Amino acid sequence: YGNERVAVDSQNYRTFFISHLLKLSIFGSPLYSKLLDHEIMYRRRRETIVFIYSHRRMSELFTFGGLSGAEFYKNGLKYVSCAKVNLRDRRGRNIIGYVMDEEKRLF
């Protein structure tokens, strides 16, 4: 994993190296062909920042041979990875939500 930190709003993310073969497996050949235009946030010669916005989309990209890297079961509970959203209610209180399926608007 890399040493760089990327700040997005109040969240910090770490950068990491992905081999070319793994990038092709996840994002398609030619490179990044599986990603939609709005999922590539930043692209330069040596770095790319992608934003995968829902659990449904994460599952599409990270499922290989019927096994998903976007969800797993432990002690009878299902754990998933998905985009996090910060919302405010009518009183101005912060509400944390997670995007499960952007097409069905399921949070």
Side-chain angles (χ1 to χ4, degrees):
Y1 289 69
N3 296 325
E4 298 283 330
R5 282 191 158 189
V6 177
V8 178
D9 196 24
S10 63
Q11 300 283 325
N12 284 313
Y13 300 90
R14 290 230 179 243
T15 62
F16 56 93
F17 173 79
I18 300 177
S19 71
H20 188 67
L21 180 59
L22 188 55
K23 282 191 275 189
L24 289 174
S25 298
I26 296 171
F27 301 121
S29 177
L31 191 55
Y32 303 114
S33 62
K34 286 185 182 178
L35 291 175
L36 304 173
D37 288 340
H38 64 273
E39 291 175 325
I40 299 174
M41 305 303 290
Y42 175 85
R43 187 167 180 195
R44 295 292 180 263
R45 185 174 155 254
R46 297 182 53 97
E47 68 180 333
T48 302
I49 297 174
V50 298
F51 178 68
I52 302 167
Y53 47 86
S54 72
H55 171 67
R56 182 194 62 78
R57 186 71 175 122
M58 184 80 94
S59 292
E60 284 177 4
L61 292 170
F62 289 90
T63 298
F64 303 97
L67 298 174
S68 175
E71 62 187 45
F72 67 94
Y73 292 89
K74 183 178 178 181
N75 298 327
L77 297 174
K78 182 178 180 179
Y79 294 86
V80 300
S81 56
C82 53
K84 180 177 167 183
V85 293
N86 289 305
L87 306 171
R88 297 216 181 263
D89 66 8
R90 291 181 181 164
R91 295 182 181 172
R93 294 178 298 193
N94 197 33
I95 301 170
I96 303 297
Y98 298 92
V99 182
M100 299 302 291
D101 189 330
E102 78 290 349
E103 291 179 352
K104 295 178 183 174
R105 295 185 180 147
L106 181 61
F107 291 92

